[in-house]
Amino acid sequence: MKKIEKIKRVKGELRVPSDKSITHRAFILGALAYGETLVKEPLISEDTRATLEILKNLGTEVKENDNEIIIRGRNFIFTEPKEILDCKNSGTTARLMSGVLATQHFFSVLFGDESLRERPMLRVVEPLREMGAQIDGREEGNKLPISIRGGKLKGISYFNKRASAQVKSCLLLAGLRAEGVTEVIEPVLSRDHTERMLKLFGVEVITVPEERGHILKVKGGQELKGTEIYCPADPSSAAYFAALATLAPEGSLKLKDVLLNPTRDGFYRKLLEMGADITFENTREISNEPRADLIVRPVERLKAVKVEPEEVTSMIDEIPILAILMALADGVSEVRGAKELRYKESDRIKAVVHNLRKMGVKVEELEDGFIIEGTEKLKGAKIETFGDHRIAMAFAVAGLVTDEEVIIDRPECVSISYPQFWDDLFKIVEF
Ligand code: S3P
């Protein structure tokens, strides 16, 4: 349990931990490459540790120094694991590693915690089976544990209707060891870190924007050459602080080195549309990813906004914190086309609606989103996080701008993506 009280101001600067999606990919691609890969400033959290441990179980040598990890690549030659591979709470680990294991002739089993064991896997299992992998598991292979025996794969053309980056990345990784070309078509371009990073490893990924969406193609048989990757700060983690600095009574906050990839910055664009005061400085590109420093200052009152279905992908993980901003905005806000939120670490539509109602907000739950009537003041409440890190951090921000006391249950769940969240938070506020 964590008690949260109202703050007087925000101050100073913060470099939030590095991007989770990029760190997972840096570890995995480093292991797939030949030669060494140096990952600078990786995110070390429960999720990224799960990926690293699995890669070690497959025979990958990993050296951990302060703020950097060196991976000795296996050039796609892994060893059969003696144990089941535990993805813990991490959907990205489960989906991306399924693609890697599908390229291997041996037998392996992916497992996960209680939450991950309820999350859908058929989205990757079906196309991987079509490519030639033998996969079995609970509920016809839709739920972990799943077993994989791969090897002889052939390229396929796959329409990624949910615009899931995990599905796209899984298939592109499997496609690197498939016969012919593997093609993924997306209605909306999902986070493109895998494509960007593959280029750093010397792999050619063909991108064709067209009418039905974006087409991404990889030709099988390409090798990855070990490289150096410098991970930027995670925009999903920075979002809680940008929201807090916007809602705070006074002060200003600098958020340094934040990834500003156009497939990930939807939250910041929406926040500006709501009337937030954000200045972008020192915009630059490192390791093929754009980043900038953000200065955020409080504003009197935010305007209500709508999130349309085609906007959801670029802000999928930020919707819980956006919901807090909507609850304190002037007017009625809406999110639609976000049914995928029901399949995250918790059912995030249910979790947001349930907790906002506890804080006295009028919310209508939709199958694929919610309608929120903005209010001037939130009520104190005991928040149920459902063990979901993003629900815990979003409602912590709500508590910090609420007169009455807010209590967050299972506050330790932030360590999935941001182990030092509570310490960082108390560094940049005054009570
Ligand atoms: C991620 C993709 C998104 C996101 C998740 C991380 C990734 O999931 O919600 O936190 O690293 O590829 P989907 O691919 O299911 O949309």
Side-chain angles (χ1 to χ4, degrees):
M1 299 284 174
K2 192 134 211 135
K3 266 193 209 164
I4 314 274
E5 282 162 36
K6 191 172 178 181
I7 57 160
K8 283 216 179 74
R9 60 196 313 264
V10 287
K11 53 162 195 193
E13 51 179 56
L14 190 63
R15 201 274 187 195
V16 302
S18 288
D19 191 66
K20 183 152 80 69
S21 295
I22 290 181
T23 304
H24 280 298
R25 285 160 174 79
F27 292 166
I28 295 173
L29 298 195
L32 295 179
Y34 66 87
E36 276 187 359
T37 291
L38 171 63
V39 188
K40 287 159 104 178
E41 295 246 10
L43 166 71
I44 300 296
S45 72
E46 281 182 21
D47 269 17
T48 55
R49 272 250 167 255
T51 292
L52 206 55
E53 288 309 312
I54 288 179
L55 293 170
K56 285 189 199 165
N57 268 321
L58 294 169
T60 312
E61 263 180 61
V62 172
K63 192 166 169 229
E64 298 193 30
N65 297 335
D66 253 8
N67 273 336
E68 58 177 45
I69 286 192
I70 300 164
I71 300 189
R72 184 158 302 161
R74 303 274 318 182
N75 200 13
F76 277 96
I77 305 166
F78 293 103
T79 52
E80 186 170 65
K82 293 195 186 95
E83 292 164 25
I84 57 162
L85 304 170
D86 192 352
C87 306
K88 308 255 170 87
N89 190 248
S90 173
T92 306
T93 309
R95 275 71 176 254
L96 269 60
M97 286 312 298
S98 298
V100 171
L101 294 168
T103 68
Q104 304 293 306
H105 287 277
F106 56 63
F107 171 81
S108 57
V109 175
L110 288 172
F111 183 64
D113 73 2
E114 213 183 322
S115 147
L116 190 59
R117 290 201 302 272
E118 287 314 310
R119 293 176 65 186
M121 287 298 289
L122 266 190
R123 53 186 61 197
V124 294
V125 167
E126 273 177 347
L128 288 175
R129 280 177 178 156
E130 204 184 316
M131 291 176 86
Q134 290 172 40
I135 307 182
D136 204 350
R138 249 179 357 116
E139 297 185 16
E140 314 286 325
N142 190 31
K143 301 271 172 76
L144 297 179
I146 59 167
S147 66
I148 303 179
R149 190 182 285 279
K152 218 175 150 11
L153 303 181
K154 58 175 196 305
I156 57 165
S157 172
Y158 188 75
F159 184 65
N160 184 17
K161 67 170 189 279
R162 298 181 190 88
S164 158
Q166 294 178 352
V167 173
K168 168 176 65 179
S169 304
C170 165
L171 300 183
L172 293 179
L173 296 182
L176 287 170
R177 278 297 168 277
E179 203 185 290
V181 173
T182 299
E183 172 180 279
V184 181
I185 304 152
E186 300 195 298
V188 180
L189 183 67
S190 66
R191 64 188 67 192
D192 59 357
H193 311 307
T194 304
E195 300 94 291
R196 285 174 181 260
M197 203 182 285
L198 279 172
K199 287 180 191 153
L200 285 180
F201 281 87
V203 170
E204 193 189 12
V205 185
I206 301 163
T207 317
V208 198
E210 60 107 78
E211 247 174 53
R212 276 198 302 161
H214 294 258
I215 308 182
L216 302 144
K217 297 184 196 190
V218 285
K219 205 166 164 220
Q222 299 186 70
E223 288 200 325
L224 284 73
K225 186 171 181 307
T227 187
E228 190 178 297
I229 293 152
Y230 177 24
C231 305
D234 194 326
S236 305
S237 299
Y240 305 103
F241 294 97
L244 180 63
T246 299
L247 297 172
E250 56 179 78
S252 82
L253 181 66
K254 185 173 185 175
L255 295 164
K256 284 162 56 182
D257 206 26
V258 181
L259 169 72
L260 275 188
N261 174 315
T263 62
R264 292 285 298 282
D265 67 358
F267 167 79
Y268 295 92
R269 283 185 264 128
K270 213 28 101 181
L271 193 53
L272 287 169
E273 198 185 314
M274 295 179 93
D277 179 354
I278 312 177
T279 316
F280 298 85
E281 275 183 356
N282 197 11
T283 308
R284 58 212 185 274
E285 194 161 305
I286 308 176
S287 297
N288 209 16
E289 292 281 2
R291 55 178 89 189
D293 300 337
L294 275 55
I295 296 157
V296 190
R297 295 187 181 84
V299 289
E300 251 333 274
R301 193 94 175 109
L302 292 169
K303 294 192 286 278
V305 278
K306 276 192 181 163
V307 173
E308 302 293 348
E310 62 278 11
E311 294 179 299
V312 167
T313 312
S314 69
M315 58 178 91
I316 185 77
D317 294 333
E318 292 71 70
I319 291 181
I321 184 61
L322 190 63
I324 304 295
L325 292 155
M326 288 172 159
L328 287 163
D330 194 15
V332 178
S333 291
E334 269 181 46
V335 174
R336 287 182 191 268
K339 192 164 178 212
E340 272 297 300
L341 288 180
R342 295 201 182 271
Y343 311 108
K344 296 292 175 189
E345 287 84 327
S346 71
D347 175 341
R348 288 187 178 152
I349 294 182
K350 191 174 132 222
V352 162
V353 170
H354 174 73
N355 286 308
L356 279 182
R357 282 186 184 150
K358 281 187 156 197
M359 297 191 87
V361 183
K362 281 197 189 140
V363 196
E364 188 185 330
E365 178 171 352
L366 308 170
E367 192 43 32
D368 63 346
F370 34 72
I371 302 173
I372 298 178
E373 219 175 279
T375 170
E376 285 194 10
K377 271 189 168 64
L378 299 172
K379 282 206 219 138
K382 190 166 169 247
I383 301 300
E384 269 178 80
T385 61
F386 303 95
D388 184 334
H389 56 135
R390 304 217 184 273
I391 299 299
M393 294 188 274
F395 281 88
V397 171
L400 290 160
V401 296
T402 303
D403 291 326
E404 297 168 27
E405 190 179 82
V406 169
I407 293 175
I408 309 276
D409 78 348
R410 299 165 73 181
E412 68 289 345
C413 67
V414 298
S415 55
I416 291 298
S417 61
Y418 198 157
Q420 60 276 49
F421 175 74
W422 300 109
D423 292 341
D424 280 356
L425 187 61
F426 293 110
K427 276 185 209 150
I428 55 95
V429 296
E430 272 172 29
F431 291 95

